[in-house]
Amino acid sequence: AQTPVKVTVTGAAGQIGYALLFRIASGQLLGADVPVKLSLLEIPQAVKAAEGTAMELDDCAFPLLSGIEITDDPNVAFNGANVALLVGAMPRKAGMERGDLLEANGGIFGPQGKAINDHAADDIRVLVVGNPANTNALIAQQHAPDVPAERFTAMTRLDHNRALSQLAAKLQVPVTEIKKMTIWGNHSATQYPDLFHAEVGGKIAAELVDEGWLRDTFIPTVAKRGAAIIEARGASSAASAANAAIDHVYDWVNGAEWTSAAIPSDGSYGVPEGLISSFPVASRNGKWEIIQGLEIDAFSRERIDASVRELEEERDAVRQLGLI
Ligand code: NAI
């Protein structure tokens, strides 16, 4: 039988964790024939809740689930890990400045990056979900000098899926008819969902909608969807975030023609090298590749640049705080 793949999930007792773990254990993260071993990392106060979730995982009798480990020690959690989903993060609290938020998260993602560096398997792949995701991924990466830099990624797949769904509803087409959707930049309100390369039935999506809708409805609806969910549900997106994490890792491992992921920039499209920014990407042979050769018009350029500027500011802030 195949050796199980070790998947480490941080913040396992949180709401995304609850929506995520059962899908991983059922085979949706890696494939229906890949056995998995789960490692749940939590803070000490939440270990008991994680144990409760583990009891429920046991009660599903998932054929592919070969074991569950629960710990509050990153060195244990990431030991031999092949996939790490970094979900647990410090949320912004009322009155918190950006510097405070970055610093609190630096205290989480720095040590986790180091633990990954020291203990993870050679093929480790890291997806950061916890916000601010792009910069948390950068912090973890910078603490893992022995791991290839491109193994650290951040999630913009939820934004990508939201963009697909909004466009499909507008054009009254199934989401499967939409190709080449792209989210550029930061997973934040400055992100840029791009319809100038997206195609519907072979036509450019931006040409199928009016400019006012694209600019004043589509872009802000996608970018602010997280806030709209909180407003409606009284809690932040969890099942859709878990779903996007599954999509991201599945595609990374199994291949994809065109999707969105925040990966370390190689300087493509004027995004400074090293920033973990969202791009149009393909996945081949287990690696993300930035899709090259797209023409970027002035409308898109301005918006990509604004989001990338925000990423640079976050990077400069964590540098100044000595977090990287
Ligand atoms: P939650 O508050 O329900 O759960 C977070 C869990 O992380 C808690 O159980 C907490 O104990 C744990 N945690 C905190 N620090 C930890 C540490 N150092 N090590 C291990 N575990 C730790 O939050 P939820 O709803 O599950 O969201 C998690 C994160 O995902 C948040 O930062 C949220 O902003 C982010 N998010 C990102 C999205 C994206 O598209 N990139 C979408 C939705 C949420």
Side-chain angles (χ1 to χ4, degrees), residues 10-17 41-43 46 87-91 107-108 112 128-133 136 155-159 162 187 236-238 241 244:
T10 76
Q15 45 150 11
I16 294 176
L41 179 67
E42 259 297 351
I43 54 174
V87 179
M90 179 67 75
I108 296 173
Q112 289 184 0
V128 176
V129 175
N131 283 317
N136 288 341
M155 190 167 94
T156 53
R157 185 61 173 265
L158 178 53
D159 310 298
R162 287 167 170 165
H187 168 68
S236 59
S237 344

Side-chain angles (χ1 to χ4, degrees), residues 24-290:
I24 298 172
S26 75
Q28 291 177 291
L29 186 75
L30 298 164
D33 53 353
V34 184
V36 291
K37 211 163 54 181
L38 280 170
S39 180
L40 316 187
L41 179 67
E42 259 297 351
I43 54 174
Q45 310 87 284
V47 162
K48 185 157 182 235
E51 285 167 357
T53 304
M55 289 162 70
E56 282 202 78
L57 284 162
D58 285 341
D59 294 350
C60 295
F62 286 118
L64 289 174
L65 183 57
S66 79
I68 310 173
E69 154 192 281
I70 305 156
T71 177
D72 61 6
D73 181 351
N75 294 317
V76 173
F78 295 116
N79 188 32
N82 307 103
V83 176
L85 299 169
L86 308 189
V87 179
M90 179 67 75
R92 190 188 282 269
K93 297 192 183 111
M96 215 179 195
E97 300 289 330
R98 186 175 66 170
D100 302 333
L101 182 73
L102 292 171
E103 191 152 29
N105 279 294
I108 296 173
F109 288 86
Q112 289 184 0
K114 181 165 190 333
I116 287 169
N117 188 68
D118 295 349
H119 302 290
D122 287 344
D123 67 347
I124 180 70
R125 287 182 171 89
V126 182
L127 171 62
V128 176
V129 175
N131 283 317
N134 302 53
T135 297
N136 288 341
L138 183 70
I139 294 171
Q141 180 205 57
Q142 293 299 305
H143 286 77
D146 304 331
V147 177
E150 81 263 14
R151 304 288 186 76
F152 286 85
T153 66
M155 190 167 94
T156 53
R157 185 61 173 265
L158 178 53
D159 310 298
H160 177 100
N161 288 343
R162 287 167 170 165
L164 288 176
S165 145
Q166 291 298 322
L167 182 64
K170 170 74 176 173
L171 296 177
Q172 300 281 300
V173 298
V175 284
T176 47
E177 273 190 35
I178 304 173
K179 310 289 178 209
K180 305 188 179 178
M181 181 63 77
T182 301
I183 304 292
W184 298 88
N186 200 2
H187 168 68
S188 77
T190 67
Q191 66 175 267
Y192 174 52
D194 175 0
L195 294 188
F196 292 90
H197 300 99
E199 293 177 6
V200 182
K203 297 199 180 89
I204 295 295
E207 289 166 10
L208 299 174
V209 298
D210 64 85
E211 200 192 315
W213 181 81
L214 191 163
R215 190 186 51 231
D216 302 327
T217 302
F218 174 73
I219 295 174
T221 300
V222 173
K224 294 179 190 161
R225 184 73 164 175
I229 301 281
I230 293 175
E231 172 70 24
R233 203 173 86 88
S236 59
S237 344
S240 55
N243 178 69
I246 298 265
D247 284 351
H248 177 114
V249 174
Y250 186 90
D251 284 355
W252 193 355
V253 172
N254 294 294
E257 283 307 311
W258 186 309
T259 185
S260 303
I263 67 170
S265 177
D266 60 0
S268 294
Y269 298 106
V271 180
E273 198 177 335
L275 280 184
I276 299 185
S277 183
S278 190
F279 286 100
V281 292
S283 162
R284 296 192 216 294
N285 306 316
K287 288 187 173 182
W288 292 118
E289 292 173 9
I290 297 171

